[in-house]
């Protein structure tokens, strides 16, 4: 039964909602291995052995929201920072010099950045854009439609905003007080005004297998060029601090099924969940982008793991490249990445 679905996906015939759900229910180790092998080979058909690297600059950890899963939620009494424009430019320049293909400018929903038509944020994007030649991704949370052209014009190539789940009830429990449709529209607006867009889900936040299948279908139909999954990591001081963390297999399975359902999308392996340990299994499950590369000694945080593998340099680009090359991957150049983006924009 599973074999027939795997074969169908390999032949590029496309799989539907029911087949997706079926694959997500695989738990026998041999069948799981076949799923990962199929995903890996579909990825190689689409992208070869090339893997691209994204640098991560979490430049403000202030947030006006209270997502139940997040360490940086407003009610958590943690220490926070907001980097200056000069620091952000310097960090982005260093990441470019070190060889990443993109810089992801990420923040909590910081009012200082969102006020006044995102004036300060637009200024920062413009400054980073003048200083670096690699593409810029912006992950600022949810913004109003009128600022999207400003993001685009100041130099943002990508806009990332993750729905987390496409189950409205679950969304309202996790993204407390936030509007589902407004968040969903972020990616439509990004694409409408000329940016590429990323959607994503979390596993381990109370979703069912059916919810994940729905999300995989919906992430595909919205047309986002990049789609992701991350395992929920329980955070101190949050309402979900005592929740259990899922084991690695669940996220790997979702990566693999996303690859089967959406062969041509970019799919990240995030270092944020398990650090460098988690890289190779995610690549083998069908991911082709490494995200959350963070240089050491810069006092920058991660999201799902605020400090895992950062200060020891394991999340630095040099170490990531070593691991990728040992795995037989080709680390994509900036010109490879630009032509990929041109191709995706033209579709
Ligand atoms: N604040 C912006 C937002 O929420 O869209 C952008 C950055 S946000 C910190 C990036 C993503 O990190 C969230 O959308 C969520 O998917 C993920 N994340 C946050 N807390 C997490 C956790 N405890 N475990 C795993 N992923 C988490
Ligand atoms: C990551 N910590 O890639 C980053 C973050 C935001 N665009 C990305 C969740 O894992
Ligand atoms: Fe704020 Fe983003 Fe965390 Fe939600 S996930 S609390 S919006 S930083």
């Amino acid at each position: 039964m599973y074999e027939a679905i795997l074969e169908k996906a390999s032949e590029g015939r496309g799989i539907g909602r029911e087949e997706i759900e079926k694959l997500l229910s695989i738990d026998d180790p041999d069948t799981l291995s076949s799923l990962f092998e199929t995903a890996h080979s579909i990825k190689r058909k689409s992208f070869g052995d090339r893997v691209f690297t994204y640098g991560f600059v979490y430049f403000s950890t202030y947030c006006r929201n209270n997502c139940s899963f997040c360490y940086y939620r407003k009610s958590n009494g943690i220490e926070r920072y907001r980097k200056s424009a000069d620091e952000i430019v310097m960090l982005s320049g260093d990441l470019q010099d070190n060889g990443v293909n993109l810089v992801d400018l990420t923040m909590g929903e910081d009012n200082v950045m969102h006020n006044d038509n995102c004036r300060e944020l637009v200024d920062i994007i413009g400054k980073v854009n003048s200083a670096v030649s690699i593409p810029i991704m912006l992950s600022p949370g949810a913004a109003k439609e009128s600022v999207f052209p400003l993001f685009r014009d100041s130099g943002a190539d990508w806009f990332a905003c993750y729905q987390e789940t496409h189950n409205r009830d679950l969304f309202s429990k996790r993204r407390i007080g936030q509007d589902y449709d407004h968040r969903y529209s972020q990616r439509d607006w990004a694409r409408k005004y000329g940016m590429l867009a990323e959607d994503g889900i979390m596993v381990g936040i109370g979703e069912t297998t059916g919810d994940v299948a729905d999300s995989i279908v919906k992430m595909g139909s919205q047309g986002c060029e990049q789609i992701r999954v991350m395992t929920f990591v329980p955070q101190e001081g949050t309402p979900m601090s005592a929740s259990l963390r899922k084991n690695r297999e669940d996220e790997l399975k979702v990566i693999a099924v996303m690859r089967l359902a959406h062969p041509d999308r970019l799919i990240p392996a995030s270092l944020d969940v398990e650090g460098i340990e988690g890289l190779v299994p995610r690549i083998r499950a069908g991911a082709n982008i490494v995200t959350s590369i963070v240089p050491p000694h810069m006092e920058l945080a991660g999201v799902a793991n605020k400090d895992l593998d950062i200060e020891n340099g394991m999340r630095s680009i040099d170490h990531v490249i070593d691991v990728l090359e040992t795995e037989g991957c080709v680390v994509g150049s900036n010109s490879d990445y630009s032509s990929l983006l041109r191709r995706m924009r033209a579709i």
Side-chain angles (χ1 to χ4, degrees), residues 58 63 65-67 69-70 72-73 107-109 175 178:
Y58 194 10
C63 189
N65 286 337
N66 255 324
C67 302
F69 49 80
C70 183
Y72 301 95
R73 69 200 301 270
M107 57 186 227
E109 266 187 37
R175 284 200 160 267
Q178 299 171 49

Side-chain angles (χ1 to χ4, degrees), residues 56 58 60 62-63 65 67-72 105-110 138-142 160-164 175 178 183 200-203 205 228-235 238 272-273 302-305:
F56 184 55
Y58 194 10
S60 171
Y62 287 87
C63 189
N65 286 337
C67 302
S68 59
F69 49 80
C70 183
Y71 182 67
Y72 301 95
L105 301 178
T106 294
M107 57 186 227
E109 266 187 37
D110 182 354
L138 182 63
S139 311
C161 185
Y162 314 140
Q163 202 67 26
E164 324 294 3
R175 284 200 160 267
Q178 299 171 49
R183 197 162 172 91
I201 57 169
M202 287 169 77
V203 289
I205 55 168
R228 73 158 59 199
V229 54
M230 285 175 38
T231 307
F232 160 66
V233 181
Q235 305 292 328
T238 67
D272 213 18
V273 177
V303 176
N305 274 293

